[in-house]
Amino acid sequence: MPCAGVTIYGLNVIIGRRVVSFIEKLSAAWKTNDSLLCVGLDPDVKRFPKALQGKPDSVFEFCKAIVDATAGLACAFKPQIAYFAALRAEDQLEALCLYMREKYPHIPIILDAKRGDIGATAEQYAREAFERYGADAVTLNPYMGFDSIQPFLEWKEKGAILLCRTSNAGGSDLQFLDVSVAGKPVPLYQHVARLVAEKWNANGQCALVVGATFPQELAQVRAIVGDLPLLVPGIGAQGGDIQATVEAGRTANGTGMMINSSRAILYASPRDDEDFTAAARRVAGETRQTINLYRR
């Protein structure tokens, strides 16, 4: 719940007369929940417990239950928009985001949309993320250049989280190619990291996506960007090593990361007779504990 002196107004958390930025909210959540764990919300109705099967609002009810079960263990929630859109459940995503903003306003909401377009289209994508869903941050694809990102940066209290070195194997097809920077060959993902940290982050609102499946590259990105926050997918179902991830990506004070786990938490219950919320809370707690073991 909000601390004393903190109120909710519209889509933002307000302290006095000042809007709390995504970076400020994230920093507070790292400390308050003693956590670098980001809980991904990827609803797959085929994996829902039988009690929710066939219910018209099952997506909202399932995700709401996960949020309630893990809110004390997470530094962020990350709904993946494709899972909702494929089910024609954007209205349930809106309701979920509203619920999270009202009940857990101190925990950032990251809309995982990976948007990337130019001009007026990018402006509409920004409105979708920040007005329709009220997200604190959105994931973006930087490969159309700065003018595709600029409309999001105009929302100065919001976060822009840009793809850098993604966790999938195919990311190497492009991200590991050398580009010429000042006459020297540099892997494209490192150029993106430096570009975001040194030029695009003028308002202090940017972060990068770097996969846990590539800890060596994660360490190289950290060396380039300093304390810039990193959203790190790839542990849990994708098999990223938590120790290697934390040791490669943590900042000097043991924060700086949003280490995402989705399916391993959402579908932790192997049996229909087990309380899926208890299983999710157990796995989230174990994951946070393992992360904290290596971040100190």
Side-chain angles (χ1 to χ4, degrees):
M1 296 302 291
C3 302
V6 179
T7 57
I8 309 302
Y9 183 79
L11 301 178
N12 300 305
V13 176
I14 308 294
I15 297 181
R17 297 178 180 273
R18 185 175 64 82
V19 176
V20 177
S21 72
F22 163 67
I23 298 297
E24 290 173 319
K25 188 183 290 191
L26 176 62
S27 297
W30 282 332
K31 182 177 180 180
T32 301
N33 281 356
D34 189 27
S35 179
L36 305 185
L37 173 65
C38 174
V39 176
L41 301 171
D42 302 357
D44 181 350
V45 295
K46 297 188 298 295
R47 303 182 70 175
F48 285 4
K50 287 183 179 179
L52 291 177
Q53 295 286 343
K55 293 184 63 176
D57 59 347
S58 62
V59 172
F60 171 78
E61 291 297 335
F62 177 80
C63 292
K64 173 180 174 291
I66 295 292
V67 166
D68 287 339
T70 61
L73 302 166
C75 70
F77 289 115
K78 184 178 70 64
Q80 165 51 258
I81 194 170
Y83 280 84
F84 295 85
L87 297 169
R88 302 179 186 269
E90 293 99 323
D91 57 338
Q92 296 185 61
L93 175 57
E94 284 188 71
L96 177 66
C97 290
L98 177 61
Y99 176 79
M100 290 190 288
R101 292 199 309 271
E102 290 183 341
K103 189 163 185 182
Y104 306 107
H106 56 295
I107 301 179
I109 301 170
I110 300 168
L111 184 67
D112 193 357
K114 300 180 179 69
R115 299 302 192 203
D117 213 322
I118 58 174
T121 305
E123 292 174 6
Q124 300 310 307
Y125 279 139
R127 289 187 58 199
E128 174 196 40
F130 302 139
E131 287 186 358
R132 180 181 183 186
Y133 296 114
D136 297 291
V138 63
T139 57
L140 302 170
N141 189 327
Y143 293 103
M144 288 186 71
F146 180 72
D147 54 343
S148 69
I149 304 303
Q150 188 173 15
F152 297 90
L153 301 181
E154 292 174 358
W155 297 71
K156 296 182 180 180
E157 77 281 5
K158 301 296 188 178
I161 306 177
L162 294 109
L163 301 180
C164 179
R165 183 68 172 114
T166 56
S167 59
N168 61 309
S172 299
D173 293 346
L174 296 177
Q175 296 160 16
F176 217 64
L177 293 177
D178 282 341
V179 297
S180 179
V181 179
K184 296 181 179 180
V186 176
L188 181 57
Y189 80 91
Q190 292 186 19
H191 177 57
V192 169
R194 185 166 284 107
L195 192 64
V196 172
E198 297 179 359
K199 294 186 177 180
W200 295 3
N201 194 35
N203 298 321
Q205 68 197 104
C206 292
L208 293 171
V209 177
V210 185
T213 46
F214 301 104
Q216 290 183 335
E217 283 94 78
L218 176 59
Q220 290 169 338
V221 170
R222 173 57 72 204
I224 291 169
V225 303
D227 289 346
L228 198 79
L230 304 178
L231 174 60
V232 184
I235 67 166
Q238 293 188 59
D241 180 82
I242 292 179
Q243 180 178 357
T245 297
V246 175
E247 292 178 349
R250 67 189 176 194
T251 57
N253 67 356
T255 62
M257 307 172 75
M258 300 159 276
I259 302 176
N260 185 77
S261 181
S262 301
R263 287 167 287 171
I265 292 173
L266 300 183
Y267 310 112
S269 174
R271 305 183 310 276
D272 191 67
D273 60 348
E274 183 178 2
D275 182 350
F276 76 95
T277 59
R281 182 166 51 249
R282 171 178 53 78
V283 172
E286 292 169 353
T287 305
R288 183 186 70 162
Q289 184 178 21
T290 304
I291 291 170
N292 284 348
L293 180 65
Y294 300 112
R295 60 180 281 226
R296 305 303 184 187

